Structure formats: structure tokens, C-alpha cells
Amino acid sequence: MILVSSCLAGLEVRYDGKHCLRDIIKRLVDENRAITACPELLGGLPIPRIPAEIIQGDGFDVLDGRAKVVDRLGKDVTDMYIKGAYETLKLVQKMKITTVVLKENSPSCGSSMIYNGEFSGKKVPGNGVTSALLKRNGIKVISDVELTELEELEELEEML
């Protein structure tokens, strides 16, 4: 069993109320080999919601109190992102999940790239808040970008 970002399974939970369906993820969910979660919803954020970015760091910095998550209108939403990360970790631990597939570039789920905090569309290396917390707790995180590079479901299963 793995956990996947809800938007990757076709659920319309992204900030804009849309999804980022990945057929391979949908297949795993349909076969009851994966469960879905959206850290931002678990943290109490609505659908749709104002886009947010991490300011002055990445998810590790947010967890350590050195950076914050702010929406495009300037509202500090850090607490909701941290809450969502911890709720996701609780779910992963309860289900004894060791691998998670998350949506790249997200302030929650990015596992190698996030937006730079200037709302300019520019991406920088870094982790989202949930990705950082899961990694700190020994959970393997795979991004949807890495996933799309896999051609066959069997290759994914070998990684898991």
C-alpha cells in the first residue's frame, strides 16, 4: 500500500479546484493498492483556495520556524500547512506506508522543486512542508515527475 496525492488520482482538490490525473496512480487506487490524501485539505484549507508559496526557504525551514507559507494575498497560512503535514504523517504511520507519491512544485507536496516564494512562476530546488516532514521520518517520497518517467507499472512496483 502506498499513499498518493489526491489530485494525482483525479480528485479535484488542487488550489484551483482541478486535478492532475496520472493514469498509473488512478489504477493503483482503483486496485486498492494506494490510498489518497491531500495535505492541504487535511490542514483545513478550502477548495478552491488562494495559491500559496513558501517564503524564504523550503518545507524543512517551515518546520524549523525559519520560513513561512503565505498566500498570494499575503495571508500567512503556515499553520494550516504544518497541520496538514502532520495529519498526513499520522495517516502514513497508521497505515504503515513506507512510500508516498506527491505532486511536484506544491508548497505541501513538492519533493525536489517548489515555487520561489515570489509568485512569479519561477521554481527552485526544495521540498514542500509535507514532503519535508515525511522525509524526516524516513518515508520514501516520489514525485509525480519521477513517476511519469516510469513507463510501466511494474517499474513503479519495483521501486516500492
Side-chain angles (χ1 to χ4, degrees):
M1 182 70 67
I2 64 172
L3 182 134
V4 299
S5 291
S6 298
C7 62
L8 298 175
L11 301 174
E12 296 177 334
V13 296
R14 285 174 36 100
Y15 75 93
D16 57 5
K18 297 181 181 178
H19 62 77
C20 299
L21 177 65
R22 300 291 186 266
D23 290 334
I24 192 170
I25 294 294
K26 179 82 167 99
R27 180 175 162 193
L28 289 170
V29 171
D30 289 346
E31 293 172 355
N32 294 316
R33 296 181 346 182
I35 61 170
T36 64
C38 175
E40 294 176 17
L41 294 184
L42 290 172
L45 292 163
I47 307 167
R49 55 192 166 274
I50 309 247
E53 295 185 9
I54 298 173
I55 308 297
Q56 299 178 342
D58 76 350
F60 289 105
D61 297 310
V62 171
L63 293 171
D64 294 339
R66 294 188 307 265
K68 58 186 176 176
V69 186
V70 176
D71 73 21
R72 190 180 51 203
L73 299 179
K75 179 180 178 187
D76 186 336
V77 291
T78 304
D79 289 344
M80 289 182 269
Y81 278 80
I82 291 173
K83 178 183 178 192
Y86 277 96
E87 291 299 320
T88 302
L89 177 62
K90 283 183 200 174
L91 180 59
V92 165
Q93 291 173 331
K94 178 181 178 185
M95 301 294 293
K96 297 182 180 4
I97 291 170
T98 58
T99 303
V100 176
V101 180
L102 297 176
K103 176 71 180 99
E104 193 67 278
N105 307 318
S106 158
S108 291
C109 297
S111 61
S112 64
M113 298 294 288
I114 57 173
Y115 288 98
N116 71 352
E118 298 174 357
F119 298 93
S120 63
K122 183 178 177 190
K123 298 170 194 167
V124 295
N127 285 271
V129 180
T130 298
S131 178
L133 183 63
L134 293 175
K135 287 179 178 182
R136 273 199 178 155
N137 283 272
I139 308 301
K140 181 177 182 178
V141 177
I142 300 170
S143 76
D144 63 312
V145 173
E146 292 172 288
L147 185 68
T148 57
E149 295 170 358
L150 302 175
E151 294 184 15
E152 299 291 330
L153 181 58
E154 291 75 26
E155 290 180 62
L156 173 61
E157 290 171 339
E158 286 177 18
M159 290 180 65
L160 305 177

